[in-house]
Amino acid sequence: MTRLRELADTTDALRATSSRKEKGELLAALLRRLAPAEIVPAVGMLLAKPRQGAIGVGWATVAKVPTAPSGATAADDADAPADDGTGADVLAFDALLSEIAVTTGPGSEAGRQALLSEFLGRCEPAEREFVRRVLIGDARQGALAGVMTDAAAKAAGVKAAAMRRAVMLRGDLGEATAIALLDGAEALDAVDLVVGRPIQPMLASTAADVGEALEAAGGEVSVEWKLDGARVQIHLDGDEVAVYTRNLNDVTKRLPQVVAAARDLDCRSAVIDGEILGLFGDGDLGDSGGDDPAEATAANPLAFQETMSALGTDSDGAAAGLRPYFFDLMALDGESLIDRPLRERLAALHRLASERCVPQRFTTDRDEAQAHLDDAIARGHEGVMVKGADSRYEAGRRGKSWRKVKPVHTLDLVVLAAEWGHGRRQGWLSNLHLGARNPDTGDFVMVGKTFKGLTDELLGWQTEQFLHRQVGESGHTVHVRPELVVEIALDGAQSSTRYPGGVALRFARVRGYRPDRDPATADTIDAVRALLPGA
């Protein structure tokens, strides 16, 4: 039985060091001490992402619950012994989270507060603070998924690459950690893509232009239109179809048109990577009058915000008007293709569904690649993806073999805090504090602020979202869990002593929130520094 105090002490130690190596060693030591049943819940707790998911408890609820046991004073709490024989353990906290998760309906808030208050009364001071942080999603110790993955590999004595691959294919860090610790390298290597179980998508790095992307690839590439829609992963197994978002949320019932398109495919099973997009009129991406989808003439795409608004409506068939377009094939008729080169995957995809493929062409010629980019832009799309023709599908990785090329500088950043507005924005959280991901620690480094590009509708939405994610406040600033990814357009970057990363955004403005994207895949501080003059 592992005491919750051990997780709390480890979290404090993680917070006290900036060394990724030391963080990994601290976590690995803790993971080795866990009992088998504790591994999955403990991993979630350490990441402040419990395995139960959202349980209806946030900052507002936690703030109403006393942090000291009934009858104790703040002084008593501060002076409590480090180990007085009381306290809670990992499985007890996990059981509490499960009980709170099913406490719903009238009077549920009071019921959740009562459950939490009783549990906290059994905890030591350090444990109570740890519980509070887990409940509001405030890890703030620099041990996010990447650090935890490497620590799990170290604890189990397996290769870090094998661990990362298993996490991506399993779709759950806690489960992959349990496999590694309990069953070892052979079982970890056996983890593979399974139809019906979503995997984390392969991601792309950024290139300034097609020439840079071609040079980085060092050979033949596939140049594909980059659609400004919502990414989806489609799993087909007989008549059963499941559709998942980039964040692995199941949206099957909202997308009947995608389900119908999958069932029309001439295969027994498949896993397909693609994009859903709304279009004006009756045209389609492939309306060219010929057989080559690269010669498509009609597009007129809806704005990303309209696509996401349709997808985000929580009702069956809400996004029926969104059309699917495919750009990769990860499995076909029981065979995993993720280790096959892209050229083979695309050949199989075009044989399966050529009329639904994103327009693409293989080339080594810069002018031809630029022409394909110009064509995409002229038809209202974001730009192009430039992918190495021999690249594997590296699930969950922001690989160098895939590059996105867009004419406007944009970054996916994470909101760290927001300031209450003034004047006509009174009552709304407006000025955003933006953070880029530190790849060494998993933390977020503030790189600037912006209040530009925010409509009244967006101001109202984000105020509600921020208050739901609040973890603290200072003056007129509300600090939030780093969960919301926002796409920021900017004119570049400049050196700055104001922010800890030594760099600041120039003329940043909001293009829109990206609920389809995860903070762990946000752009890094290195990507921001790459925009510095002369970088």
Side-chain angles (χ1 to χ4, degrees):
M1 179 181 71
T2 303
R3 295 278 297 275
L4 209 55
R5 177 61 181 263
E6 294 187 56
L7 273 64
D9 288 346
T10 299
T11 295
D12 288 341
L14 292 169
R15 200 172 286 119
T17 179
S18 60
S19 167
R20 183 186 178 103
K21 180 180 179 181
E22 189 172 346
K23 289 179 188 290
E25 291 173 346
L26 288 165
L27 287 167
L30 175 61
L31 291 173
R32 293 189 192 102
R33 299 196 299 270
L34 295 172
E38 296 172 336
I39 297 171
V40 173
V43 168
M45 293 169 191
L46 289 163
L47 297 174
K49 294 181 178 180
R51 67 178 184 86
Q52 291 83 357
I55 61 172
V57 172
W59 186 82
T61 300
V62 173
K64 297 175 184 177
V65 178
T67 58
S70 178
T73 66
D76 293 332
D77 197 50
D79 294 336
D83 188 351
D84 58 3
T86 63
D89 60 74
V90 169
L91 293 183
F93 185 27
D94 185 57
L96 170 75
L97 294 171
S98 295
E99 189 172 3
I100 289 177
V102 297
T103 303
T104 58
S108 59
E109 183 176 356
R112 289 192 291 265
Q113 289 181 17
L115 287 168
L116 181 56
S117 180
E118 190 278 331
F119 183 79
L120 289 175
R122 294 187 277 125
C123 292
E124 296 177 4
E127 293 172 340
R128 287 194 283 276
E129 176 62 15
F130 178 74
V131 167
R132 186 188 73 82
R133 287 184 177 274
V134 171
L135 288 171
I136 65 176
D138 180 21
R140 294 205 184 183
Q141 24 79 331
L144 299 182
V147 178
M148 180 67 78
T149 301
D150 290 346
K154 184 178 182 66
V158 300
K159 294 181 179 179
M163 187 70 208
R164 287 192 292 267
R165 176 184 170 89
V167 171
M168 304 314 168
L169 294 175
R170 193 75 176 187
D172 187 287
L173 176 52
E175 290 184 15
T177 300
I179 292 171
L181 287 169
L182 301 178
D183 302 317
E186 187 174 345
L188 199 68
D189 291 340
V191 175
D192 202 352
L193 187 152
V194 175
V195 178
R197 178 187 295 155
I199 65 172
Q200 296 185 14
M202 184 169 177
L203 306 175
S205 300
T206 300
D209 52 45
V210 292
E212 179 183 309
L214 281 165
E215 184 178 350
E220 188 176 36
V221 299
S222 171
V223 185
E224 308 167 7
W225 286 6
K226 188 178 188 309
L227 310 183
D228 194 16
R231 193 166 180 177
V232 291
Q233 188 178 126
I234 304 163
H235 289 244
L236 169 70
D237 188 4
D239 287 333
E240 295 297 318
V241 177
V243 185
Y244 302 95
T245 66
R246 175 172 168 152
N247 290 337
L248 311 188
N249 296 319
D250 190 334
V251 290
T252 308
K253 292 183 178 179
R254 302 181 200 176
L255 296 166
Q257 194 157 326
V258 178
V259 172
R263 287 177 175 157
D264 283 343
L265 298 175
D266 185 18
C267 62
R268 299 187 308 276
S269 66
V271 179
I272 301 171
D273 204 350
E275 199 94 1
I276 53 171
L277 187 70
L279 299 174
F280 290 113
D282 298 324
D284 207 340
L285 287 183
D287 288 346
S288 62
D291 296 327
D292 185 358
E295 297 177 357
T297 59
N300 300 315
L302 295 177
F304 169 78
Q305 288 77 10
E306 295 179 66
T307 296
M308 290 307 298
S309 176
L311 182 61
T313 302
D314 192 13
S315 61
D316 293 358
L322 302 179
R323 310 179 193 186
Y325 300 98
F326 308 148
F327 57 77
D328 215 322
L329 181 65
M330 295 92 85
L332 180 64
D333 289 337
E335 182 182 2
S336 173
L337 305 179
I338 58 175
D339 291 324
R340 299 282 191 88
L342 176 65
R343 64 174 79 249
E344 291 185 21
R345 301 199 306 272
L346 285 182
L349 180 62
H350 279 266
R351 288 193 298 270
L352 184 66
S354 61
E355 73 283 359
R356 291 201 174 274
C357 290
V358 171
Q360 63 86 217
R361 62 184 62 185
F362 285 107
T363 186
T364 58
D365 183 76
R366 176 172 181 162
D367 290 340
E368 186 176 4
Q370 183 64 48
H372 203 53
L373 168 61
D374 293 342
D375 192 23
I377 297 299
R379 300 179 194 283
H381 300 294
E382 277 196 306
V384 292
M385 300 290 295
V386 179
K387 305 175 181 178
D390 294 319
S391 61
R392 299 186 309 162
Y393 193 95
E394 299 180 89
R397 300 294 302 278
R398 192 176 289 280
K400 301 300 184 183
S401 56
W402 285 19
R403 304 273 181 158
K404 53 187 174 184
V405 181
K406 299 190 289 186
V408 176
H409 287 309
T410 63
L411 292 170
D412 289 340
L413 301 175
V414 175
V415 180
L416 306 178
E419 300 170 12
W420 288 108
H422 303 282
R424 67 175 302 275
R425 292 192 175 187
Q426 184 78 30
W428 283 330
L429 285 167
S430 175
N431 201 15
L432 306 180
H433 294 206
L434 303 168
R437 182 168 53 87
N438 183 337
D440 294 329
T441 65
D443 281 334
F444 295 96
V445 183
M446 189 171 174
V447 291
K449 301 180 182 181
T450 189
F451 54 82
K452 298 178 180 178
L454 295 168
T455 63
D456 288 356
E457 181 181 4
L458 204 54
L459 284 163
W461 177 87
Q462 73 180 23
T463 298
E464 179 182 356
Q465 295 297 316
F466 293 160
L467 292 176
H468 179 66
R469 292 168 171 80
Q470 182 176 357
V471 297
E473 55 189 346
S474 55
H476 61 290
T477 300
V478 171
H479 300 276
V480 300
R481 295 194 300 271
E483 294 179 346
L484 294 178
V485 177
V486 62
E487 185 176 17
I488 297 294
L490 63 158
D491 290 357
Q494 61 190 25
S495 297
S496 172
T497 58
R498 182 176 183 182
Y499 300 117
V503 63
L505 309 178
R506 294 184 67 249
F507 303 109
R509 59 268 188 200
V510 173
R511 289 194 69 187
Y513 281 88
R514 300 298 308 232
D516 58 326
R517 299 186 179 174
D518 189 277
T521 63
D523 280 302
T524 66
I525 185 66
D526 295 331
V528 181
R529 290 170 180 155
L531 299 175
L532 289 169

